[in-house]
């Protein structure tokens, strides 16, 4: 505690002239649709190797990829994540996997993460929005309207994904 009390901020945004570590969001802000959804959850589209490196350096721990493993990718993301020491989890969200079991796997990863920083992504952010609607409503108490607004903020653009998330949340909230 005394260490933190002795640090003073300078006009350059550093503490005692030491650079401050970026937040996980700042590390990922170049990712398409990057968004700080919750204190420990950053969302977005496809990251680059540099993005994943910056996420790790900022304290990031888990990458939750919602794309199908057969989707074209600009990098070998599983290999890159493992090389960096990140936990890499794939829970594909596609027309054939939009089930309760998929929601439960996604929410299980987020719940088990606790306070560990998680980056949840797909190609653009749209699947992320639909998949996290129930998490926002059931686990974080957002009402439907606020959850939809947050899902759209992170990239949700599909009526099908919106319906999938809302229907699950409505059934589970009864």
């Amino acid at each position: 505690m005394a260490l933190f009390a002795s640090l003073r901020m300078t006009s350059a945004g550093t503490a005692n002239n030491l650079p401050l570590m970026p937040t996980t969001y700042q590390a990922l802000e170049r990712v398409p649709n990057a968004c700080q959804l919750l204190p420990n959850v950053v969302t977005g589209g496809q990251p680059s190797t540099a993005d994943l490196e910056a996420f790790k350096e900022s304290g990031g721990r888990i990458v939750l990829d919602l794309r199908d493993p057969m989707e074209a990718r600009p990098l070998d993301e599983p290999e890159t994540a493992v090389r960096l020491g990140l936990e890499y989890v794939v829970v594909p969200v596609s027309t054939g996997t939009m089930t309760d079991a998929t929601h439960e796997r996604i929410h299980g990863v987020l719940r088990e993460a606790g306070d560990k920083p998680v980056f949840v992504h797909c190609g653009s952010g749209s699947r992320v929005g639909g998949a996290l609607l129930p998490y926002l409503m059931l686990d974080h108490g957002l009402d439907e309207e606020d959850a939809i607004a947050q899902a759209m903020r992170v990239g949700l653009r599909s009526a099908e994904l919106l319906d999938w998330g809302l229907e699950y949340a409505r059934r589970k909230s009864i």
Side-chain angles (χ1 to χ4, degrees):
M1 185 69 110
L3 171 66
F4 295 112
S6 70
L7 296 177
R8 63 179 173 74
M9 297 303 290
T10 68
S11 62
T14 61
N16 290 343
N17 296 322
L18 298 173
L20 295 176
M21 180 181 286
T23 65
T24 52
Y25 169 73
Q26 290 168 329
L28 294 168
E29 65 188 351
R30 294 177 303 170
V31 170
N33 288 324
C35 186
Q36 181 80 54
L37 182 63
L38 297 165
N40 67 319
V41 178
V42 177
T43 63
Q46 175 63 51
S48 68
T49 299
D51 296 324
L52 293 176
E53 289 169 346
F55 177 63
K56 172 64 177 182
E57 289 173 14
S58 70
R61 302 284 299 278
I62 302 167
V63 176
L64 176 55
D65 185 351
L66 303 184
R67 294 168 307 154
D68 187 282
M70 298 306 290
E71 284 183 51
R73 298 160 189 262
L75 69 123
D76 185 343
E77 193 171 331
E79 184 279 326
T80 302
V82 169
R83 177 178 54 77
L84 293 171
L86 294 165
E87 181 179 344
Y88 183 77
V89 182
V90 178
V91 181
V93 174
S94 63
T95 302
T97 65
M98 291 171 45
T99 64
D100 286 3
T102 299
H103 272 303
E104 289 159 11
R105 286 185 61 210
I106 292 166
H107 300 157
V109 170
L110 293 169
R111 288 177 188 132
E112 288 176 26
D115 290 336
K116 294 177 193 168
V118 180
F119 174 47
V120 184
H121 79 91
C122 59
S124 67
S126 187
R127 286 175 275 188
V128 173
L132 295 186
L133 262 169
Y135 182 66
L136 293 169
M137 293 170 67
L138 301 171
D139 289 44
H140 291 277
L142 271 66
D143 65 30
E144 192 170 295
E145 184 177 327
D146 289 339
I148 292 170
Q150 292 303 312
M152 293 184 76
R153 186 170 70 93
V154 303
L156 177 64
R157 299 294 179 265
S158 162
E160 182 181 22
L161 289 164
L162 173 70
D163 290 342
W164 173 56
L166 287 177
E167 288 172 11
Y168 178 87
R170 289 171 182 157
R171 281 195 322 274
K172 296 297 181 174
S173 67
I174 297 175

